Amino acid sequence: MPELPEVETVVRALRDPLVGRTFSEFESYWPNQIVVPDDVEQLRARITGRTVTAISRRAKYIVMTLDGGEETLIVHLKMTGHLAVVPTSKPVHKHVRNLFRLTDGDDLRFRDMRKFGRIYLVTDPDEILAKLGPEPLEDPFTAEVFRQRIAGRTRIIKPLLLDQTIVAGIGNIYADESLFFAKIRPDRHADTLTKAETDLLWAGIRSSLQNGIDREGASIDTYVKPDGTKGDMQNAVSVFRRTGNPCYDCGTPIERIVLAQRSTHFCPICQK
DNA sequence: ACCGGAGCCTGTTAGC
DNA sequence: TGCTAACAGGCTCCGG
């Protein structure tokens, strides 16, 4: 499941093959993934002839700026999305849902087994991105800012971490890993955390996400890098999907519970 | 403010 | 062995 580190890895891999390239055609095999504009024809008309001038990431969104500055193409991979630049001559994989043809013999292909991924073409990116909380790895996101953003919140901490308006980019894997780092049980209510615990959680968010980026993502379900190879973060998780296996710190079997309809993994001894 | 549930989806897996 | 049902989950919307 692509979260911030996985999306960052995808963006870095796409930058070289995509920036400077021009869209020449667009083919949609599953138009439901296109949220805006309303119809495929409009999307096709607005991107044809446009050149990608920049690609970046905001939370889990991939943001492609097109020349002229009037259009921004935004893609969210959700659960099983996979975005890659491949030669047009290559057979189209059965899970390719939307295909952007480029002028020089390549395609930007959006593969997505479960069709949860979303495509947006907007003139103002804020239409999609404005509601997001701060980027957890950027300088403005200090421990102080984190404390303020959860101040007064009574919700259970794990679902709170998954709320993209509080902090952007954390998903199920890195929420569990951050809480393990901070030795906080995922079912604690946010208003019971001490300042020291909140600071530790802030550090846990930063270090687990950075570790994920350094290892080029966690290939636990279907996630692979644009070139099809696996990331390495799945080999470095402390608790995620390790149910029943011994905690690396104390040997106690990792437990699995469900919080807000999400499977949640933690060490019942290390995490208080 | 917060919670729970439905919906979007399909490949994999658990259970009969 | 072969079938069905449950499960996985990021995000949005709805009702309470």
Side-chain angles (χ1 to χ4, degrees):
Chain A
M1 57 218 76
E3 304 178 25
L4 186 153
E6 289 73 27
V7 177
E8 178 65 26
T9 302
V10 171
V11 165
R12 289 180 183 184
L14 290 179
R15 190 162 286 138
D16 186 53
L18 194 59
V19 172
R21 307 297 293 277
T22 302
F23 294 122
S24 61
E25 289 175 51
F26 174 70
E27 207 60 55
S28 184
Y29 309 105
W30 194 257
N32 286 0
Q33 295 196 291
I34 305 164
V35 181
V36 282
D38 295 331
D39 67 291
V40 175
E41 284 310 319
Q42 216 191 115
L43 180 86
R44 181 180 288 126
R46 282 166 56 185
I47 65 165
T48 299
R50 299 260 72 83
T51 298
V52 179
T53 54
I55 179 167
S56 62
R57 177 192 60 72
R58 174 74 175 100
K60 304 175 195 172
Y61 292 86
I62 296 167
V63 181
M64 288 165 273
T65 308
L66 308 186
D67 67 335
E70 292 173 0
E71 307 278 21
T72 302
L73 182 63
I74 299 176
V75 173
H76 196 304
L77 302 174
K78 293 286 180 90
M79 305 296 301
T80 58
H82 179 267
L83 204 57
V85 175
V86 297
T88 301
S89 57
K90 196 179 169 186
V92 178
H93 189 279
K94 62 184 282 202
H95 292 150
V96 171
R97 310 301 184 192
N98 288 280
L99 187 155
F100 305 79
R101 181 135 303 154
L102 302 165
T103 50
D104 300 320
D106 285 335
D107 295 340
L108 173 65
R109 294 183 185 174
F110 188 20
R111 231 163 77 182
D112 187 7
M113 183 178 85
R114 283 164 63 186
K115 302 178 177 173
F116 278 17
R118 293 292 180 260
I119 294 171
Y120 313 83
L121 181 69
V122 292
T123 51
D124 179 11
D126 274 347
E127 192 181 316
I128 309 300
L129 309 175
K131 60 188 182 303
L132 295 167
E135 281 292 323
L137 292 178
E138 290 184 2
D139 290 342
F141 184 67
T142 59
E144 171 73 26
V145 166
F146 179 55
R147 226 178 300 129
Q148 284 168 2
R149 294 193 74 81
I150 63 174
R153 303 291 183 146
T154 61
R155 299 171 64 182
I156 296 169
I157 189 64
K158 159 91 187 262
L160 193 63
L161 291 179
L162 296 176
D163 185 333
Q164 301 298 300
T165 67
I166 303 291
V167 182
I170 303 170
N172 215 26
I173 298 173
Y174 297 93
D176 283 3
E177 294 299 310
S178 301
L179 287 160
F180 177 79
F181 179 101
K183 303 191 184 302
I184 297 168
R185 280 183 62 103
D187 55 0
R188 287 271 298 280
H189 285 261
D191 56 352
T192 69
L193 301 185
T194 64
K195 178 179 179 296
E197 285 177 324
T198 308
D199 287 352
L200 211 49
L201 184 52
W202 170 81
I205 291 167
R206 306 257 293 187
S207 79
S208 64
L209 291 174
Q210 189 59 55
N211 197 15
I213 291 176
D214 293 343
R215 290 173 179 271
E216 300 185 291
S219 294
I220 290 179
D221 279 329
T222 62
Y223 167 79
V224 288
K225 292 183 273 176
D227 68 4
T229 61
K230 291 184 177 186
D232 185 44
M233 185 62 187
Q234 68 279 7
N235 300 313
V237 292
S238 297
V239 290
F240 190 76
R241 296 268 180 98
R242 294 197 61 247
T243 312
N245 291 307
C247 170
Y248 294 129
D249 282 358
C250 75
T252 304
I254 299 302
E255 283 187 15
R256 176 186 181 275
I257 57 174
V258 175
L259 294 175
Q261 301 160 281
R262 306 289 160 79
S263 66
T264 299
H265 315 78
F266 69 104
C267 173
I269 299 298
C270 291
Q271 294 175 254
K272 310 287 184 191

